[in-house]
Amino acid sequence: MNFNPADDGDGILVYCSQSEEGLGDFAALIIKNKHVEFRYDIGSGMAVLRSSYIVQPGTWTYVMINRDFKEAKLSVNGEPFIEARSPGAARVMTLNTPLYIGGIDRRKITLNKNLSVDRSFRGCISELEVASVSLDILKSAVDMANIEDCSVLHPNQTFSRTTLITLPPTSPPTTLHDPCSSSPCVHGFCQSVDSHEYSCTCEYGYAGRNCENVLKQCEIYTPCRNGGTCTDLHGSYKCDCRLGFNGQTCEKLAEITYDVAFRGDGWLELERSVMTHEEEREVLGFEISTNKTNGLIMWHGQTPNDLNPDDYISLAVVDGYVEYQYNLGSGPAVIRVTAQRVDDGERHRIILKRQGSDGSIELNGEHTESGVSDGLQQILNTRGSVYLGGVPDYAMTYGRYHEGFSGCIYTMEVQDSGAIDIGEKAVRGKNVSPCTSDPTVDKISMRGDLRRRF
């Protein structure tokens, strides 16, 4: 573009946007404080290129702009190109309004708030070239106001402050326009359908109108570190981290000691010796917090390969209430405390007791519920590992549970063990983290609670 300003004021040289309301993507060439600026936004933040050249009234100035997805270059009067890169992940610009030259039609268009200039240009504009095609500005226009051909202007004449020329969004003329000329297919091959439309044939692993969405991010990027398992999501991915690591890509060390945190998609396997169930009277203690209405806190049953309903013991949050179950082989005891919800994010202390087929659950030292299992059996025979926060396969729970725990288990005690170092007893795990900075704070008082109730 060539332009010759009539004064040293600010002005809009070119403007086009995604919406008439000034929202979304936009591209604009402006004069601001005697310098040429190119401002653009492709959906994830604005980039600004500002030339150091000082624009002079009455002097012709030549501007070149090149944008390739996120990157753009600006040169004024042959100066070295200034480069910028738009922030964020977006790469494709969407522009739906006509291309305005010299100003805008304020009856139809609201400028993007990030433009910072709202004054129409005063002066002459010539030699406009778009996508390597030179345009006859007046013949290509679909609307205009207060303009004249620069060739007939007296040297002291200028466009008025409301000067604008409106070019159609598809300019240059449709007979010359190639919709693939802007390389819209980010990860694919572009093929013109007609002068307005194109189609993209995407590379393997990509999809979307412009092949902008990565469907096979796990295969293409292999983002999960330290032995993490990757799962493709729509346009994204998820890493399931093995025991000892966490973070979006399993990049962080996660040392488990007395407490452990879950997010609903994890589990922690403990040694079977943690719960032997051999004493006549059994007492278990937990301190938890959660905001979710459902989730399996603890499960001890049979080995993963043994899917026949058999002996088990479990603790879970069901519909917002804490529930204790055990089965000695002839039918389960299901004991739930409905006097107080536990899905409020607060800490709650839970004491589980069982003597033979008789059992009880106590919540926060205030609410107690009792129950009894079916049959004559008195011994709990569990051959599998102990699981916290969930299980690797919910078929192991014989269809009784389907969701993992989301929250923190601050303390776990068995009999008079005191607070158990959970990390020391851990065998395997998925998506587990520590949840307090000092797990020793509450373990003594919890141990006292258990001893008083045993």
Side-chain angles (χ1 to χ4, degrees):
M1 169 188 280
N2 269 328
F3 68 89
N4 186 344
D7 56 32
D8 57 6
D10 295 347
I12 299 171
L13 295 170
V14 178
Y15 179 80
C16 193
S17 64
Q18 183 175 357
S19 69
E20 295 181 346
E21 293 78 21
L23 304 175
D25 302 358
F26 78 91
L29 184 67
I30 62 174
I31 301 173
K32 182 175 175 61
N33 298 328
K34 301 182 181 180
H35 292 270
V36 175
E37 290 187 5
F38 178 56
R39 299 189 172 204
Y40 66 100
D41 189 332
I42 58 177
S44 53
M46 183 177 69
V48 179
L49 292 87
R50 179 181 172 85
S51 169
S52 59
Y53 178 84
I54 299 177
V55 177
Q56 299 290 337
T59 301
W60 284 99
T61 303
Y62 180 65
V63 179
M64 290 184 62
I65 300 171
N66 176 272
R67 186 185 68 84
D68 185 9
F69 297 116
K70 295 165 64 70
E71 291 79 20
K73 298 179 180 180
L74 169 68
S75 175
V76 178
N77 274 1
E79 68 177 353
F81 275 103
I82 302 167
E83 299 183 9
R85 180 184 176 92
S86 65
R91 291 166 55 90
V92 180
M93 180 181 291
T94 302
L95 300 175
N96 297 321
T97 69
L99 179 66
Y100 287 91
I101 309 297
I104 61 166
D105 186 344
R106 300 181 187 277
R107 299 167 301 174
K108 301 178 180 179
I109 295 292
T110 299
L111 290 171
N112 189 287
K113 64 180 181 180
N114 292 320
L115 194 60
S116 81
V117 169
D118 61 2
R119 182 178 184 261
S120 296
F121 173 71
R122 301 184 67 183
C124 286
I125 295 175
S126 68
E127 297 182 28
L128 178 64
E129 186 177 289
V130 179
S132 300
V133 178
S134 297
L135 299 181
D136 184 320
I137 300 177
L138 296 182
K139 291 182 179 179
S140 300
V142 295
D143 194 11
M144 61 185 71
N146 300 321
I147 63 100
E148 296 181 53
D149 193 321
C150 282
S151 62
V152 301
L153 284 176
H154 185 275
N156 294 325
Q157 286 182 302
T158 64
F159 294 166
S160 74
R161 293 187 59 152
T162 57
T163 296
L164 67 92
I165 302 175
T166 308
L167 303 182
T170 54
S171 46
T174 57
T175 56
L176 299 176
H177 182 64
D178 179 6
C180 289
S181 61
S182 61
S183 302
C185 305
V186 183
H187 296 285
F189 171 74
C190 183
Q191 185 173 8
S192 299
V193 176
D194 54 33
S195 59
H196 299 281
E197 295 294 330
Y198 63 90
S199 64
C200 293
T201 301
C202 300
E203 298 172 10
Y204 174 77
Y206 296 90
R209 159 71 169 159
N210 297 300
C211 305
E212 71 277 17
N213 295 325
V214 183
L215 293 183
K216 303 282 186 181
Q217 292 201 14
C218 291
E219 185 176 332
I220 294 172
Y221 298 141
T222 58
C224 304
R225 299 164 56 184
N226 298 308
T229 302
C230 188
T231 302
D232 282 305
L233 304 176
H234 182 69
S236 184
Y237 65 89
K238 175 180 179 290
C239 289
D240 290 321
C241 305
R242 67 184 182 90
L243 181 62
F245 300 94
N246 62 14
Q248 183 177 358
T249 59
C250 308
E251 75 281 7
K252 300 177 183 178
L253 290 173
E255 182 182 1
I256 305 301
T257 53
Y258 291 94
D259 57 26
V260 59
F262 301 90
R263 61 189 190 196
D265 59 353
W267 48 267
L268 186 64
E269 180 182 353
L270 306 182
E271 299 171 359
R272 179 177 178 272
S273 60
V274 171
M275 295 183 187
T276 61
H277 312 294
E278 293 176 351
E279 298 189 35
E280 180 184 358
R281 293 189 297 171
E282 182 174 56
V283 182
L284 309 176
F286 295 86
E287 184 173 10
I288 63 123
S289 68
T290 183
N291 289 309
K292 300 297 183 181
T293 57
N294 292 282
L296 181 60
I297 300 171
M298 181 273 294
W299 175 267
H300 190 194
Q302 310 311 319
T303 61
N305 295 327
D306 185 357
L307 300 182
N308 295 317
D310 207 337
D311 293 25
Y312 70 86
I313 180 173
S314 66
L315 177 66
V317 179
V318 179
D319 298 331
Y321 302 102
V322 66
E323 180 183 276
Y324 172 34
Q325 287 197 26
Y326 57 91
N327 188 343
L328 307 182
S330 299
V334 180
I335 311 171
R336 188 184 300 184
V337 179
T338 57
Q340 182 179 1
R341 298 183 69 95
V342 295
D343 57 347
D344 54 6
E346 301 294 328
R347 287 196 183 196
H348 297 279
R349 293 190 173 189
I350 303 164
I351 307 297
L352 308 180
K353 292 183 181 181
R354 187 185 62 83
Q355 183 167 356
S357 59
D358 295 315
S360 66
I361 178 172
E362 179 184 295
L363 177 62
N364 297 326
E366 299 176 353
H367 311 289
T368 302
E369 295 291 340
S370 301
V372 61
S373 63
D374 295 337
L376 302 176
Q377 288 83 352
Q378 301 292 303
I379 304 299
L380 180 60
N381 182 19
T382 51
R383 297 178 292 275
S385 298
V386 177
Y387 290 92
L388 297 181
V391 289
D393 182 355
Y394 282 91
M396 295 170 59
T397 70
Y398 320 124
R400 295 190 176 276
Y401 300 104
H402 306 279
E403 298 181 46
F405 181 68
S406 180
C408 283
I409 299 175
Y410 297 99
T411 308
M412 182 181 77
E413 299 185 34
V414 178
Q415 304 298 85
D416 59 351
S417 66
I420 293 174
D421 187 333
I422 297 173
E424 188 178 71
K425 302 295 184 181
V427 177
R428 295 184 303 151
K430 185 180 82 171
N431 297 335
V432 295
S433 304
C435 55
T436 64
S437 58
D438 185 5
T440 64
V441 172
D442 291 299
K443 69 175 184 177
I444 296 176
S445 60
M446 186 67 175
R447 183 174 184 178
D449 277 350
L450 272 177
R451 282 181 169 174
R452 285 193 297 271
R453 288 166 174 77
F454 181 68

